[in-house]
Amino acid sequence: MPSSAPVDADTIYDAVIVGSGVSGSLVANELSKQGFHVLVLEAGPGEDQTIRGYEKYLSRFYEATSKDNNSPYPANPNASMPRSPAVHSLAAGQPDSSSYLVQNGPFPLDSTYTRTLGGTTMHWEGKALRMLPEDFETRSRYGQGLDWPISYDELAPHYRRAERELGVSADVQDQAELGIPFEPGYVFPMQGLPASYLDQAVAAGIDGTGVRLDGEDYHLKVRAFPQARNGIPNAAYDGGKGYVPVGAVSTHQVEQGERCQGNNNCVPLCPVQAKYHAGKTLAKALAGTVGKVDLRTQAVASRVHVDHVTGRVSHLEYKAYADPGSPEHTTHTVRARLFVLAANAVETPRLMLASGLPSSSALMGRNLMDHAYLLTWGLMPGPVGTMRGTVCTSGISDLRGGAFRHGQAAFAADIHNDGWGWAGGTPEVQVLDLVDSMNAFGPDLRRGAVDRISRQLLLAWMVELMPDPSNRITVDGRYKDALGNLKPVLSYNIADYTLAGVAQARSLSRRLFQRLGVEDHTDYRPTDVGYVSYQGEGYVIRGGNHWSGTHVMGTTPANSVVDADQRSWDHENLFLVGSGSMPSIGTSNTTLTLAALCLKSAEQMVRQLRDETSAVELATTTGSAQA
Amino acid sequence: MSAQTRLEPFLAFSSRVTAFTVFELQGTGQAAAYLETVVGVVGEALLGDLLSIDEAIQREADGDAAVRDRLLRARIFSDERLGPVARHIIKLWYLGTWYALPKDWHEVFGSVEDDVTFVVSAAAYAEGLVWPAIGANPPGAKGPGYGTWAMPPKIPAF
Ligand SMILES: Cc1cc2nc3c(=O)[nH]c(=O)nc-3n(C[C@H](O)[C@H](O)[C@H](O)COP(=O)(O)OP(=O)(O)OC[C@H]3O[C@@H](n4cnc5c(N)ncnc54)[C@H](O)[C@@H]3O)c2cc1C
Ligand code: SF4
C-alpha cells in the first residue's frame, strides 16, 4: 500500500528509486525479485492504487470541460507537470515562466508528462515499437547524431523481456519487413490488433504508393503498430506456453481489462486498464515476497548528496507533503547502497542540476530530444467510422530508415482513429460550429455531424530529431515551485535536418490525400503555437511527449553522462534510467526501448549489489520540519 | 407550471431540434437533469416563453416540416433572448455540457449567477447524442468490444 509516512531514518535500503513510472517500477520489481529491499519515492499522489481511485480519475475526466491529456489528474503545485493549455507562443528573448515548465524558446514545446503514482504511462497512448538496428548507429552510418554504445543485437533480449512485461500485441512479420531482426520463431505475447475500418479505407487507397528519396525507391504499406494493449493471446508465445494478459490492478479483485474494448480514450486514460500502465508492474513489485518494496507517495526528491571523497552518492533528501493544496512539508533523508533516478528525462536532470551535479561531461540536461509531429488532416470521401477503436491502430512505417537520412530526418505516420482531435477539430468543436455558425438544427445537424466527424482523417507525421547539446533542460534560481524546488527551464529549437523531414512529410501527405480523394483541411497559422517557417512554407509542429537524451549514454565520461548500463560515470552507485539515456530516438516512441534499457540496467544493479563488499558510510540523518 | 408538466413540452421541443425521438431522449436518462439545468440558469419564465412559442409554431405549421423550420428560425433561433438558449439546449443534448451564455446576452437580459460552462454530470458526458448520431461510443465509456472498430460503422438512419 502506498504510504506518506516518513521513512525510517535508520534503514539503509539496498536501493532507493526516485519515480514510480515504468522505469522506476521495472527496476523496483527486478531488484525485489532478487531479494533486495527497495524504497520507491513518488512525488505525486497515489490514489490510483485502488479501482476507486482509478474511477475518480475517470469521472474527473468525464466532468472536465477541457479534455487535455492531463485532465484526469488534479493540479498539484507541490509536484507540478506541464499541461498543454499552458503552452503559448513565445516573444523573442522572453522566457515564459507562467507555468511549471519554463519555456526559454526559441521554440515553445507542447509536450507533457504526468507526476502521479504510475507516472506518464497512466496517460500514454501505448505504442510499443522497437527501434531499427540502424537507429543505434546514425553517426557512423549517416554522419548524423550520436551512436549508441550498444547495438540493436545487444538490446534485443531485453526488448523481448520488455514486450512480455508491457504486454505487446503485434505481428512479427509486419515488423520484420521493416528490417527489424527477431529471433527465429519469435511471436509477440498477443496477436496484432485488428486494423480499423478507417485504416482499411486508407490502405485500399495508398498501399503501393512509390516514394523516391535520395535516389532510392520505397513502397508504402499501411501496417499495424505494436501496442502495449491487451489483445488475443498468442498460443505460440514462449515456446507454446502462451501468454496471460494482465488486466486491471487493484487492492481488491476486479476482472476487467484483459482485452481492449475500443473505448477510444487510451489518452488520457483507459477506463478498463486494457492498456499497460506502470501500476501493473508496481503492483507486482509491491506484492513480491522475495525482497521488499516500500513506497512513499507525495515525497519529492529534492537533493542528491555526494561524498566528495569517494564520489559516491551518500544520501538523498526528499520533501514530504500531506496536502497537495498546501506547500507545508517536512524534509527527510534516505540512505541506500544504490540510488536510481527514474523521474523521467526532464525531472531526472532537473534534480541532478538542482543538486549541483552537472556531470563531468557537462552534458546533464543537454541533447534533449523529442519527436516533432506534423499533423495533416482532411475529410475522406464518405463516412469511414472515425472515432472508433483505439487512438491509433495502423500507420506508415516504410520511411523510418534509409540512406536519405544522410540529409534529412526519417519519418513515419499514424492514422488517428480519433479524428481531428489533436488538431483541435474534436466532435465537440464540430457540433458547436454546426449549431453556432452553420445554424444547423434537427436533421441538418445530425447529417452534419456524420459528414464532419465520421469522415475525418488525421495523419500524425512523427519526424525524428537528432541530439543537439543546445537543446536542454536547465535550472535557474529565479524559478521555484511551491515546495521551493527549482523548476525545469527548457531551451529548444528544431534543426533544418528535422524540418527537411517535416517538409517531405507535408508533400507526401498531399500526394496521399490526392490518391484518396481526401478534402485537405490542413491549416497552419502564424499565430498557432509551434508555427515555423521553412524554405518559404509554414508548418505547425507539435510536441511528441518523447522527452529523451538528457543524461545521454556513451563510451566515455567525456562524451556522456552514463555508461551502457545507465550508470553514472561520476558516481558509481548512481543510475540514471529512462529515455534520458537514449543517444537517438529514430522514429520509435521511446517507452519500449527505455523499458528494455531498464531491464538491462537492473541486471547490472543486481551484480553490483551482490559484489559490493565495501561498508556503506553512515551519514547522520536529519528530519527537520519546514513550512 | 411544475417541473413534471414542463418536461413534456421540453422533450417535444428538444426532439425537434436534435432529430432524436422523445423516446431516445428519455433513454439517455438525462431529461430531468437537463431541464433542471436550463431552468436553473435562465429561469422558469424564459423557458416557459420558449416552450409556448414552440407549441404555437407546431399548431401553425400543422405537420409541414418546412414551415415549422422556417418559424423556428424566425421566432426562436433568431430571437435575441430565446435564440442563444435554444442553441444551448441543442448542445446540452449533443454534448452533455451547458455552455456559459454569451456576454452580450447577459448584458441585455440580466446576469445569472450560475452561468458557467460545465459538464452536467459524468453520465451526461457519456450520454451525449453526438455519439449515437455518428455510430460511435463516447471516448472512455461504453466500450463497444474488441475488434468492433474493424467493421464498417453503423450510422443509424433517422
Ligand atoms: C500523451 C502521451 C502519449 C504517449 N504515448 C506514448 C506511446 O504511444 N508510446 C511510447 O512509447 N511512449 C509514449 N509516451 C511517452 C511515455 O509515456 C514515457 O516515455 C514513459 O511513460 C516514461 O516513463 P518513465 O518512468 O521514464 O517516466 P514517468 O512515467 O514520467 O515517471 C516518472 C515518475 O517520477 C516521478 N517524479 C518526478 N520527479 C520526482 C521527484 N523529484 N521525486 C519523486 N518522484 C518524482 C513522477 O511523478 C513520475 O511518477 C507518451 C507520453 C504522453 C504524455
Ligand atoms: S481503446 Fe479503450 S479499452 Fe482499448 S486501450 Fe484504449 S482506452 Fe483502453
Side-chain angles (χ1 to χ4, degrees):
Chain A
M1 279 285 352
S3 155
S4 48
V7 296
D8 176 7
D10 293 329
T11 304
I12 298 174
Y13 288 94
D14 292 315
V16 169
I17 300 171
V18 176
S20 68
V22 54
S23 303
S25 296
L26 283 171
V27 172
N29 193 35
E30 293 303 306
L31 296 185
S32 144
K33 279 198 293 197
Q34 300 301 321
F36 295 109
H37 188 191
V38 176
L39 170 70
V40 177
L41 293 177
E42 170 51 54
E47 55 178 311
D48 47 330
Q49 271 305 91
T50 63
I51 276 290
R52 222 175 76 80
Y54 200 86
E55 281 167 358
K56 245 198 258 170
Y57 285 145
L58 202 57
S59 54
R60 199 177 292 110
F61 163 74
Y62 290 150
E63 290 165 15
T65 47
S66 155
K67 291 187 170 39
D68 67 286
N69 64 25
N70 269 330
S71 60
Y73 310 103
N76 176 4
N78 293 340
S80 239
M81 49 182 121
R83 286 176 192 256
S84 300
V87 183
H88 313 290
S89 294
L90 299 175
Q94 277 179 28
D96 179 356
S97 60
S98 59
S99 60
Y100 176 64
L101 179 69
V102 179
Q103 301 253 4
N104 214 0
F107 184 86
L109 182 57
D110 176 11
S111 277
T112 62
Y113 50 84
T114 308
R115 285 171 98 192
T116 186
L117 190 63
T120 311
T121 51
M122 295 308 294
H123 81 176
W124 74 322
E125 186 199 318
K127 284 210 188 76
L129 282 69
R130 294 190 186 193
M131 291 175 62
L132 305 179
E134 63 178 70
D135 291 334
F136 292 80
E137 40 200 48
T138 57
R139 168 58 50 186
S140 36
R141 279 206 199 204
Y142 304 125
Q144 295 288 345
L146 299 168
D147 285 348
W148 287 53
I150 48 170
S151 66
Y152 171 85
D153 290 338
E154 284 167 272
L155 201 58
H158 306 288
Y159 267 137
R160 283 200 293 278
R161 291 171 62 208
E163 282 159 354
R164 173 192 285 275
E165 185 58 37
L166 271 56
V168 177
S169 298
D171 177 23
V172 169
Q173 176 63 26
D174 239 4
Q175 295 303 300
E177 282 173 18
L178 298 174
I180 301 175
F182 290 87
E183 65 177 350
Y186 183 69
V187 296
F188 283 91
M190 291 166 284
Q191 297 171 19
L193 273 87
S196 69
Y197 187 74
L198 169 64
D199 295 337
Q200 298 168 39
V202 173
I206 69 170
D207 273 1
T209 301
V211 179
R212 198 170 173 81
L213 287 177
D214 200 22
E216 279 181 47
D217 288 318
Y218 301 84
H219 293 278
L220 306 187
K221 180 182 165 198
V222 171
R223 43 182 111 233
F225 285 113
Q227 316 238 14
R229 167 177 290 104
N230 290 335
I232 298 170
N234 244 328
Y237 185 68
D238 198 7
K241 292 201 196 89
Y243 181 81
V244 182
V246 181
V249 292
S250 159
T251 46
H252 52 270
Q253 201 58 38
V254 283
E255 284 190 18
Q256 58 176 21
E258 276 92 35
R259 199 158 299 170
C260 165
Q261 303 176 344
N263 276 299
N264 203 287
N265 200 59
C266 321
V267 180
L269 190 66
C270 174
V272 295
Q273 308 188 38
K275 181 189 76 174
Y276 172 83
H277 62 80
K280 295 188 181 186
T281 300
L282 194 60
K284 272 197 270 183
L286 291 169
T289 50
V290 187
K292 188 164 178 288
V293 176
D294 296 342
L295 170 65
R296 288 293 177 281
T297 54
Q298 306 194 177
V300 187
S302 50
R303 201 173 177 88
V304 178
H305 289 270
V306 169
D307 178 329
H308 288 289
V309 179
T310 62
R312 291 171 63 96
V313 173
S314 56
H315 59 287
L316 193 85
E317 219 170 78
Y318 76 91
K319 296 178 179 175
Y321 59 94
D323 173 6
S326 153
E328 234 172 272
H329 64 275
T330 49
T331 304
H332 308 269
T333 295
V334 285
R335 288 170 301 153
R337 297 163 60 203
L338 207 74
F339 294 84
V340 182
L341 303 189
N344 80 36
V346 175
E347 293 294 333
T348 291
R350 187 207 64 76
L351 174 59
M352 290 296 284
L353 292 168
S355 305
L357 300 169
S359 139
S360 47
S361 63
L363 288 172
M364 190 72 70
R366 291 184 182 268
N367 290 316
L368 175 73
M369 291 174 279
D370 184 14
H371 288 114
Y373 273 88
L374 181 80
L375 309 184
T376 58
W377 61 98
L379 292 176
M380 294 284 281
V384 280
T386 314
M387 296 306 296
R388 299 182 314 144
T390 73
V391 166
C392 166
T393 31
S394 310
I396 300 164
S397 297
D398 308 282
L399 304 172
R400 288 180 57 192
F404 65 88
R405 290 171 85 185
H406 278 292
Q408 74 164 63
F411 57 100
D414 303 346
I415 300 168
H416 264 255
N417 292 327
D418 61 344
W420 295 0
W422 197 0
T426 58
E428 182 193 23
V429 168
Q430 304 305 330
V431 169
L432 293 182
D433 190 55
L434 282 163
V435 176
D436 288 333
S437 306
M438 301 294 130
N439 292 313
F441 64 87
D444 289 346
L445 172 61
R446 257 186 98 158
R447 269 190 296 272
V450 173
D451 198 46
R452 285 184 173 213
I453 303 167
S454 302
R455 292 170 54 205
Q456 288 185 353
L457 168 67
L458 181 139
L459 299 178
W461 299 87
M462 170 204 259
V463 186
E464 83 177 315
L465 188 129
M466 289 296 180
D468 171 352
S470 58
N471 283 342
R472 61 192 292 205
I473 296 292
T474 52
V475 291
D476 179 327
R478 285 177 296 172
Y479 308 121
K480 290 185 180 166
D481 70 9
L483 292 188
N485 290 319
L486 294 175
K487 299 206 279 187
V489 179
L490 168 71
S491 303
Y492 197 66
N493 208 2
I494 295 177
D496 280 358
Y497 179 79
T498 295
L499 291 175
V502 166
Q504 189 74 51
R506 178 67 183 115
S507 72
L508 178 56
S509 171
R510 284 203 177 92
R511 278 186 65 205
L512 300 183
F513 283 10
Q514 285 153 1
R515 279 183 82 120
L516 289 164
V518 161
E519 268 172 38
D520 199 336
H521 286 254
T522 308
D523 181 23
Y524 308 128
R525 300 189 180 171
T527 48
D528 291 342
V529 175
Y531 183 87
V532 291
S533 149
Y534 174 71
Q535 299 201 338
E537 198 174 342
Y539 306 91
V540 172
I541 292 175
R542 269 109 174 154
N545 304 306
H546 299 147
W547 308 94
S548 40
T550 49
H551 42 82
V552 71
M553 69 163 56
T555 47
T556 70
N559 69 16
S560 52
V561 177
V562 298
D563 67 14
D565 287 318
Q566 304 190 84
R567 187 170 79 159
S568 154
W569 290 110
D570 292 353
H571 319 288
E572 63 177 13
N573 65 337
L574 177 68
F575 287 76
L576 310 179
V577 303
S579 51
S581 300
M582 294 169 63
S584 72
I585 52 176
T587 41
S588 282
N589 313 55
T590 42
T591 309
L592 187 75
T593 302
L594 73 83
L597 285 172
C598 286
L599 292 170
K600 176 175 190 295
S601 296
E603 289 180 351
Q604 170 59 24
M605 294 176 202
V606 168
R607 279 193 294 273
Q608 201 166 319
L609 283 169
R610 292 219 171 108
D611 293 352
E612 207 145 72
T613 47
S614 67
V616 185
E617 207 186 309
L618 300 189
T620 34
T621 47
T622 50
S624 58
Q626 272 180 23
Chain B
M1 218 192 261
S2 74
Q4 196 48 45
T5 47
R6 183 140 289 163
L7 192 57
E8 209 178 296
F10 177 68
L11 281 169
F13 171 72
S14 298
S15 168
R16 281 187 273 284
V17 295
T18 58
F20 279 85
T21 63
V22 167
F23 181 72
E24 288 167 321
L25 297 183
Q26 278 170 327
T28 65
Q30 300 302 308
Y34 290 166
L35 177 59
E36 198 182 306
T37 301
V38 179
V39 170
V41 180
V42 304
E44 286 276 344
L46 188 148
L47 184 67
D49 292 351
L50 190 155
L51 296 180
S52 34
I53 293 175
D54 178 55
E55 274 168 328
I57 292 173
Q58 296 323 305
R59 277 195 302 276
E60 229 173 296
D62 196 22
D64 184 331
V67 174
R68 187 194 66 197
D69 286 359
R70 187 167 49 74
L71 294 175
L72 280 171
R73 289 188 196 284
R75 296 190 196 159
I76 294 182
F77 286 112
S78 62
D79 183 89
E80 285 168 313
R81 176 164 163 262
L82 303 180
V85 177
R87 280 186 284 277
H88 274 38
I89 292 173
I90 300 179
K91 297 172 203 167
L92 201 48
W93 283 107
Y94 265 69
L95 302 166
T97 300
W98 175 263
Y99 293 85
L101 284 158
K103 201 166 139 279
D104 47 356
W105 190 93
H106 284 294
E107 277 162 11
V108 181
F109 303 107
S111 213
V112 196
E113 252 175 58
D114 288 344
D115 191 22
V116 290
T117 297
F118 65 100
V119 178
V120 172
S121 64
Y125 162 75
E127 293 299 335
L129 295 180
V130 63
W131 311 114
I134 63 168
N137 64 296
K142 302 186 181 179
Y146 183 79
T148 46
W149 54 82
M151 259 94 79
K154 290 201 189 95
I155 293 170
F158 59 96

